[in-house]
């Protein structure tokens, strides 16, 4: 399009068709001529509005040259006034001509592009990204600074810890460490053993040697001193009903965990009915028992049906075996429901002693559950094995086991002198050989007598040291008189004391 300088386009009054305009060139050099141009432009606009189809046309500014575009931009300013003033002299207003709708839209796109060019938008985006990365950068610096300060503070505090200085300055610390090394801890066990009771071991071996075809498994542990006796402690024995002790421990663990309620009802099922000892087997199917009643019958009267109910309630034999293993009982396994007359369920004297040590320490359950467990075990009806060897005033919380090939008893004994010890005695035997029960009673008696002997600490606590001094007598006659006075019932003189 040819640029027209110092000239303007003027719309003619002749009607034109839609979308077309006819223009002619005129020269304008005065303010009066400019006024005529504006009048004719308004007439042309009103005339075009009355043309065919009556379609409205928009008025847009179309600069014909860069100089005119600059003038139009200045004219759009708020304080600009387009009139016959000295300031506006020589300024040429842009000619507004009607364009079609399509041309108007194109002009808008051009204006937007001019107003907000692409490089400016990209600059704004980069500035926004820079604003987002700044907080992340500051946060990372603060975190690094915090870690460094914490490390320095920890080093300073550890260096200033008074306990470290006390240990370094304490000359008895090395002696204490040597004493700790003398205590033997069984790996994965709660058994703390110090010195073997050799005299008791000799006695038990002599008792067992007199009984042919009997194999004893024995484990006794003084919980106060750590003195112990172990014979075939790691050998595997049929558990018989002694397997009910770890089942009882698992039961009270679940009670503490909220998995079982003591008043929860357990229903008697046909597949859970077990013969042998107990009276629950004679109840009608569908009979319900509370969980606490079931656990109590399992121990006190060694009810096999009650044992099966609890095994089923706690997830079965496999789940219980896994728990036994986690407690450090590798030989303790349930392979069949009770009664297990073939002896497929197994344990060992060390396993049972380790379990009773955990119970005594309260490591497997709460103290309240531990007290309930020991109270139930103290009410065991069968007292023909370990209890027969105890002295007067002793109490035992225990559980027996008796099948054709084995008899055994495991318990926790409280002596009148305040001592507590763990007792486990199991004997493999020919079928129903009664000598096995007698051997357990003899072993229990020998252990009780050995543990009843006061040790050095008890002697020092109970026997006071008495010192005697010799008072020289200066007047034998006075001594005789004082003796006579004492014989007559008078108080002795101070010199005679």
């Amino acid at each position: 399009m040819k640029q027209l300088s110092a000239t303007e386009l003027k719309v003619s009054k002749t009607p034109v068709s839609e979308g077309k305009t006819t223009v002619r060139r005129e020269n304008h050099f005065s303010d009066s001529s400019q006024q005529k141009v504006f009048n004719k432009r308004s007439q042309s606009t009103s005339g075009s509005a009355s043309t065919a189809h009556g379609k409205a046309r928009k008025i847009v500014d179309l600069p014909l040259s860069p100089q005119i575009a600059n003038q139009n931009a200045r004219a759009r300013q708020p304080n600009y006034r387009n009139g016959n003033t000295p300031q506006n002299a020589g300024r040429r207003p842009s000619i507004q001509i009607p364009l079609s709708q399509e041309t108007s839209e194109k002009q808008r796109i051009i204006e937007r592009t001019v107003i907000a060019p692409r490089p400016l938008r990209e600059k704004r985006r980069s500035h926004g990204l820079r604003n987002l990365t700044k907080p992340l950068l500051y946060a990372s610096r603060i975190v690094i600074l915090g870690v460094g300060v914490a490390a320095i503070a920890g080093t300073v505090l550890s260096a200033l810890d008074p306990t470290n200085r006390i240990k370094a300055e304490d000359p008895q610390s090395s002696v204490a460490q040597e004493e700790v090394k003398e205590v033997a801890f069984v790996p994965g066990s709660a058994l703390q053993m110090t010195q073997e009771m050799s005299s008791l071991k000799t006695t038990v071996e002599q008792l067992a040697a007199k009984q042919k075809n009997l194999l004893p498994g024995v484990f006794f542990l003084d919980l106060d001193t750590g003195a112990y006796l172990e014979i075939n402690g790691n050998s595997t024995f049929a558990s018989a009903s002694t397997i009910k002790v770890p089942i009882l421990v698992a039961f009270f663990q679940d009670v503490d965990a909220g998995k079982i309620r003591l008043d929860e009802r357990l229903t008697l099922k046909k597949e859970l009915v077990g013969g042998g000892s107990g009276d629950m087997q004679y109840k009608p199917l569908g009979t319900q028992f509370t969980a606490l009643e079931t656990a109590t019958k399992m121990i006190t009267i060694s009810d096999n049906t009650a044992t099966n109910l609890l095994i089923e309630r706690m997830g079965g034999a496999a789940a219980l075996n896994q728990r036994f293993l986690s407690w450090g009982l590798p030989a303790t396994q349930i392979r069949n429901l009770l009664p297990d007359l073939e002896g497929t369920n197994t344990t060992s004297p060390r396993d049972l002693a380790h379990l009773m040590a955990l119970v005594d320490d309260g490591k497997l359950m709460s103290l309240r559950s531990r007290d309930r467990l020991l109270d139930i075990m103290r009410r065991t009806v069968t007292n023909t094995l370990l209890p027969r060897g105890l002295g007067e005033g002793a109490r035992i919380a225990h559980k027996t086991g008796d099948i054709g090939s084995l008899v055994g008893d495991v318990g926790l004994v409280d002596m009148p002198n305040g001592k507590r010890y763990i007792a486990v005695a199991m004997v493999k035997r020919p079928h129903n050989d009664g000598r096995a029960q007698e051997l357990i009673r003899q072993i229990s008696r020998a252990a009780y007598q050995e543990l009843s002997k006061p040790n050095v600490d008890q002697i020092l606590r109970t026997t006071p040291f008495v010192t005697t001094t010799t008072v020289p007598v200066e007047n034998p006659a006075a001594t005789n008189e004082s003796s006579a006075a004492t014989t007559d019932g008078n108080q002795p003189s101070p010199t005679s004391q």
Side-chain angles (χ1 to χ4, degrees):
M1 183 177 183
K2 185 177 180 181
Q3 296 183 357
L4 301 177
S5 59
T7 61
E8 290 183 349
L9 294 179
K10 182 177 181 181
V11 181
S12 66
K13 298 182 180 179
T14 307
V16 294
S17 60
E18 181 182 2
K20 298 180 180 180
T21 58
T22 58
V23 298
R24 62 181 178 179
R25 183 177 301 182
E26 290 184 359
N27 294 328
H28 301 276
F29 299 97
S30 63
D31 294 338
S32 60
S33 61
Q34 291 179 2
Q35 186 66 30
K36 292 179 182 181
V37 170
F38 287 123
N39 292 337
K40 291 182 180 181
R41 184 185 60 184
S42 61
Q43 292 176 2
S44 174
T45 304
S46 61
S48 62
S50 62
T51 58
H53 306 289
K55 292 186 177 180
R57 292 183 178 88
K58 294 185 178 180
I59 306 301
V60 298
D61 294 337
L62 183 60
L64 300 178
S65 66
Q67 294 81 0
I68 297 176
N70 293 333
Q71 293 178 3
N72 291 341
R74 292 165 57 188
R76 292 191 189 98
Q77 295 180 359
N79 296 329
Y80 180 80
R81 294 181 181 179
N82 188 11
N84 292 327
T85 60
Q87 297 176 355
N88 299 331
R91 295 182 180 176
R92 301 177 182 276
S94 61
I95 304 302
Q96 296 182 352
I97 60 175
L99 298 177
S100 63
Q101 185 71 18
E102 181 179 1
T103 306
S104 177
E105 293 296 331
K106 291 181 178 179
Q107 182 67 19
R108 285 203 194 102
I109 295 173
I110 294 172
E111 290 179 357
R112 286 198 210 100
T113 305
V114 173
I115 293 173
R118 185 177 300 276
L120 180 60
R121 292 200 300 270
E122 292 179 354
K123 183 177 181 181
R124 290 177 180 175
R125 288 178 185 173
S126 62
H127 183 69
L129 293 176
R130 191 179 301 109
N131 292 337
L132 290 177
T133 56
K134 284 183 178 180
L136 296 177
L137 181 61
Y138 292 152
S140 61
R141 289 177 179 176
I142 292 173
V143 170
I144 295 172
L145 179 62
V147 172
V149 172
I152 296 172
T155 304
V156 173
L157 291 177
S158 62
L160 298 178
D161 188 5
T163 58
N164 293 335
R165 295 199 300 270
I166 292 173
K167 290 181 180 179
E169 297 172 0
D170 189 5
Q172 298 179 354
S173 60
S174 59
V175 178
Q177 291 178 358
E178 292 178 0
E179 293 178 354
V180 171
K181 291 180 181 179
E182 294 178 358
V183 179
F185 290 91
V186 178
S189 173
L191 300 174
Q192 181 176 341
M193 302 179 294
T194 55
Q195 184 177 0
E196 187 178 23
M197 296 180 283
S198 57
S199 59
L200 178 59
K201 184 175 183 179
T202 302
T203 302
V204 172
E205 289 176 345
Q206 291 175 356
L207 293 173
K210 296 178 181 180
Q211 307 295 336
K212 295 182 179 181
N213 300 325
L214 297 182
L215 178 63
V218 180
F219 201 105
F220 284 78
L221 176 64
D222 187 341
L223 294 174
D224 296 330
T225 64
Y228 70 97
L229 165 66
E230 182 177 15
I231 299 176
N232 299 322
N234 284 323
S235 299
T236 301
F237 290 78
S239 61
S241 288
T242 60
I243 196 68
K244 297 172 183 177
V245 177
I247 294 175
L248 183 67
V249 174
F251 168 77
F252 278 109
Q253 267 194 341
D254 286 352
V255 170
D256 290 339
K259 298 179 180 179
I260 299 178
R261 291 173 53 93
L262 295 177
D263 58 353
E264 178 181 337
R265 295 283 179 174
L266 303 180
T267 304
L268 181 62
K269 301 176 182 178
K270 182 178 180 180
E271 62 272 16
L272 300 178
V273 175
S277 58
D279 57 3
M280 291 177 65
Q281 58 182 314
Y282 305 112
K283 301 295 182 179
L285 297 178
T287 303
Q288 292 186 336
F289 307 91
T290 64
L292 181 59
E293 178 186 7
T294 305
T296 302
K297 286 180 175 290
M298 176 181 69
I299 299 298
T300 56
I301 62 175
S302 196
D303 198 305
N304 293 326
T305 303
T307 306
N308 296 337
L309 285 173
L310 291 180
I311 292 174
E312 191 267 343
R313 175 62 182 82
M314 289 187 288
L320 288 173
N321 291 338
Q322 188 65 31
R323 294 171 70 175
F324 299 161
L325 187 62
S326 67
W327 299 343
L329 312 179
T332 305
Q333 294 285 316
I334 301 174
R335 295 179 176 86
N336 288 291
L337 295 177
L338 277 70
D340 179 33
L341 300 178
E342 292 77 16
T344 61
N345 300 332
T346 59
T347 188
S348 69
R350 184 186 285 270
D351 276 11
L352 294 176
H354 168 60
L355 179 63
M356 296 308 298
L358 292 175
V359 170
D360 179 69
D361 292 340
K363 295 181 179 179
L364 294 180
M365 64 191 72
S366 64
L367 296 180
R368 182 179 301 174
S369 294
R370 184 196 66 177
D371 294 341
R372 285 197 179 105
L373 181 144
L374 294 177
D375 179 68
I376 291 173
M377 294 183 67
R378 289 189 183 103
R379 288 185 276 159
T380 299
V381 174
T382 303
N383 293 317
T384 58
L385 298 176
L386 287 176
R388 290 288 185 90
L390 304 180
E392 185 179 358
R395 299 181 62 194
I396 183 171
H398 70 115
K399 180 69 192 78
T400 59
D402 189 350
I403 57 176
S405 61
L406 177 132
V407 64
D409 201 354
V410 51
L412 198 62
V413 180
D414 291 312
M415 305 180 68
N417 61 3
K419 183 178 293 187
R420 172 176 283 188
Y421 66 90
I422 295 171
V424 181
M426 310 180 78
V427 179
K428 292 182 180 180
R429 61 177 181 175
H431 187 73
N432 289 336
D433 192 334
R435 295 178 301 156
Q437 286 93 332
E438 183 60 28
L439 180 59
I440 290 178
R441 289 190 283 266
Q442 292 173 357
I443 293 172
S444 177
R445 186 177 300 110
Y448 186 85
Q449 292 175 358
E450 178 68 21
L451 294 171
S452 296
K453 297 177 182 179
N455 51 35
V456 176
D457 294 336
Q458 291 175 333
I459 293 174
L460 293 177
R461 288 197 304 265
T462 58
T463 305
F465 290 96
V466 179
T467 58
T468 58
T469 57
T470 304
V471 179
V473 179
E474 297 179 356
N475 189 358
T479 304
N480 295 333
E481 291 178 0
S482 63
S483 301
T486 304
T487 304
D488 294 338
N490 298 328
Q491 293 294 331
S493 62
T495 56
S496 64
Q497 292 181 349

